[in-house]
Structures are given as C-alpha cells and as structure tokens.
Amino acid sequence: MQNNSKIVFVSGANRGIGFEFVRQLIGKSHKVIAGYRDENRSQDLLEFGKKSENLFPFKVDVTSEKELSELKSFISSEFGKLDFLINNAGINENRSAKTVEMDLQDLTHIFNVNLGSAFLATKFLHSLLLKGENPKIINLSSHLASISLSNGYSVPYSISKVALNMLTKNQATEFQEDKISVCAISPGWVRTAMGGNSAPLSAEESVSKILETVENLSLSESGQFLDIDGNKIPY
Ligand SMILES: NC(=O)c1ccc[n+]([C@@H]2O[C@H](COP(=O)([O-])OP(=O)(O)OC[C@H]3O[C@@H](n4cnc5c(N)ncnc54)[C@H](OP(=O)(O)O)[C@@H]3O)[C@@H](O)[C@H]2O)c1
C-alpha cells in the first residue's frame, strides 16, 4: 500500500495473523476496522482499540449476512469507502480425517467459513471498494491449496482453500473493469493457534512480507496465487 492513510477491513482480527495485520496497519497510520466475534477471545484487540483512534473493532461473524450488512452500514457511514479488504478469517478442522470418514457436514462447515466468508464479505463490501483508492482484496490461502504440491494433508481445509483460489481467480476477472485487484496469498507456516508452535515463521515476519508484496501488486497481476515474497505458487 502507499503511504497515505487507507481504510482497511480485516476479518478474524482478534488473534493470530489477523491481529498482526491490525498491529502493522495501525503502525503505518491506516484506519482499520477489525472484525472479531467474541469479546472473551478478543481482549488484546479491544484493549488496543482503546489506545488507538485509528482502530475500530467491529463484532462480525463473516458468515452472517445480517452482521455483514451491519458492517457495511458502519463503514459506509463512517468512511464512505473501503480501500483494502483482507479476508483472513479461517478454520482448519478434522486435519487427519480421511475422506471416507468425514460427514458431508464437516466439509460444508469448513467451506462456509473458508470460502463463504471471503465470498460474502467481498459481496457485501464491493460497492464500498468501488469508491476506494487503488482498491485491493487479499484472500488468505495456503500452500495446502496447491493441487500440484499436495501430499494429502488436511483434506477438508485444503479442498476449501482450492475453492477460495478459484473464487479469487473469478473475482479477478470480474473486477478488472472495476479496477479492484484481488489475489490469494499463502502466509506460509506461521506460529498461531492454527499453525502451532513448531511453525518456522512468526506472524510479524509473515504479515510484514505480505504487506510489502501487496503494496507492489498492480492490477495486471490480479488473480494470482502467491507466497509472502510475491512468488507464484503452482495451482
Ligand atoms: N497459521 C498458519 O500456518 C497458516 C498457514 C496457511 C494459511 N493460514 C491462513 O491464514 C488465516 C489466519 O490464520 P491464523 O493462523 O491466524 O488462524 P487462527 O490463529 O486460528 O485465527 C483464526 C481467526 O479466524 C477467525 N474466525 C474463524 N471463523 C470465523 C468466522 N466465521 N467469522 C469471523 N472470524 C472467524 C477466528 O476468530 P475466533 O477467535 O472468534 O475464533 C480467528 O480470529 C486463515 O485463513 C488460515 O487458513 C494460516
């Protein structure tokens, strides 16, 4: 992103990679609407919000159309536009389940969150992005979504992130005329509740590189599946 202040929404911003996005974006003097679901799991974010006039914690489950509609109204009345949408919320459940052991519900649940949240948040916030300056969307994907690199880990999660990549590709085509760029970025293996303690990357390092990569992305590069350094990941 450029140096001037942007209006940014981050989903799943109360912890992990999402919270780190908030921390670094506030550090760059952007105005950040930070999505969270439960006060009890969001104390760090809410405390941070009391100290920063540029931070707007907003309670929103990004699979809920009603709550996304409230979010849209809030951003519309406070800022009248959105410059940067970070679809970060995600879950990774039933990691070791075999396809023949899973219920359809296990698959649909993870699809609702990992695909549905990015699909819905973008749908609800699109009209505000149209009013944004050099608007960008990033969808947090995963190396596990690469079909060519796949080794069969985290079956429902990897399938849902493949679908997220295809959503990204479709949106990139659809939004060319709107001049909104969208890309899928894998944050790498990061030390969070999802990534666990053995992960090699800190959230700080991952997010700092993602923000640098996104800053340098042009509209002509929209629709790509990238790592934190901006290298293409094979589909
Ligand atoms: N960590 C890694 O190694 C890694 C690797 C590849 C990709 N990723 C991706 O990076 C993103 C962030 O991961 P992370 O490691 O920071 O995970 P995390 O620590 O488990 O945090 C997940 C975040 O998503 C939120 N969330 C889940 N469902 C939601 C919903 N329906 N509505 C709103 N928020 C919801 C959670 O909120 P609650 O606190 O309310 O549950 C939490 O803030 C995810 O998309 C993940 O798939 C992570």
Side-chain angles (χ1 to χ4, degrees):
M1 291 197 311
Q2 286 140 15
N3 252 349
N4 54 339
S5 177
K6 301 271 186 187
I7 311 299
V8 188
F9 172 69
V10 186
S11 67
N14 57 309
R15 56 190 174 94
I17 293 170
F19 184 59
E20 185 58 27
F21 271 119
V22 172
R23 235 183 39 79
Q24 293 193 23
L25 289 162
I26 289 292
K28 291 172 191 277
S29 302
H30 298 300
K31 292 191 183 350
V32 182
I33 303 105
Y36 71 96
R37 290 191 294 182
D38 182 328
E39 282 84 1
N40 295 324
R41 285 194 300 275
S42 309
Q43 285 310 309
D44 291 346
L45 175 70
L46 297 173
E47 283 305 311
F48 191 18
K50 287 179 195 159
K51 289 183 233 151
S52 171
E53 57 178 16
N54 286 337
L55 177 54
F56 304 83
F58 194 93
K59 194 167 178 175
V60 57
D61 181 322
V62 275
T63 61
S64 161
E65 297 198 358
K66 179 178 169 289
E67 292 178 26
L68 280 166
S69 174
E70 289 162 4
L71 172 71
K72 179 183 174 180
S73 300
F74 172 75
I75 299 176
S76 184
S77 62
E78 285 291 320
F79 308 105
K81 66 159 187 170
L82 185 66
D83 302 308
F84 189 18
L85 168 59
I86 304 179
N87 287 316
N88 165 77
I91 54 170
N92 185 357
E93 295 174 349
N94 296 304
R95 296 181 191 210
S96 52
K98 295 185 164 61
T99 58
V100 289
E101 293 167 354
M102 282 161 34
D103 294 328
L104 180 57
Q105 206 188 334
D106 297 331
L107 204 56
T108 52
H109 175 57
I110 208 160
F111 259 71
N112 278 344
V113 180
N114 291 353
L115 175 69
S117 63
F119 163 78
L120 281 179
T122 303
K123 179 177 165 177
F124 273 83
L125 300 176
H126 177 255
S127 59
L128 290 166
L129 285 162
L130 285 176
K131 297 176 187 158
E133 187 189 323
N134 192 14
K136 291 179 177 173
I137 303 169
I138 59 171
N139 293 327
L140 268 286
S141 185
S142 165
H143 277 77
L144 295 177
S146 168
I147 293 175
S148 33
L149 300 177
S150 173
N151 47 21
Y153 285 134
S154 289
V155 171
Y157 177 79
S158 60
I159 299 174
S160 71
K161 293 287 187 178
V162 169
L164 179 68
N165 283 357
M166 187 53 115
L167 174 74
T168 306
K169 196 84 182 166
N170 284 315
Q171 288 173 332
T173 308
E174 192 176 322
F175 299 161
Q176 272 294 320
E177 265 184 27
D178 300 336
K179 299 198 174 357
I180 301 171
S181 56
V182 50
C183 63
I185 297 198
S186 169
W189 185 17
V190 184
R191 289 189 295 279
T192 61
M194 186 185 292
N197 290 332
S198 314
L201 280 173
S202 65
E204 189 175 355
E205 188 180 357
S206 171
V207 166
S208 139
K209 288 189 171 183
I210 291 174
L211 289 177
E212 203 181 317
T213 290
V214 174
E215 208 169 301
N216 296 325
L217 271 187
S218 65
L219 189 61
S220 63
E221 294 163 302
S222 188
Q224 296 186 351
F225 176 29
L226 302 170
D227 69 13
I228 56 176
D229 295 309
N231 302 308
K232 285 186 191 175
I233 303 174
Y235 284 107

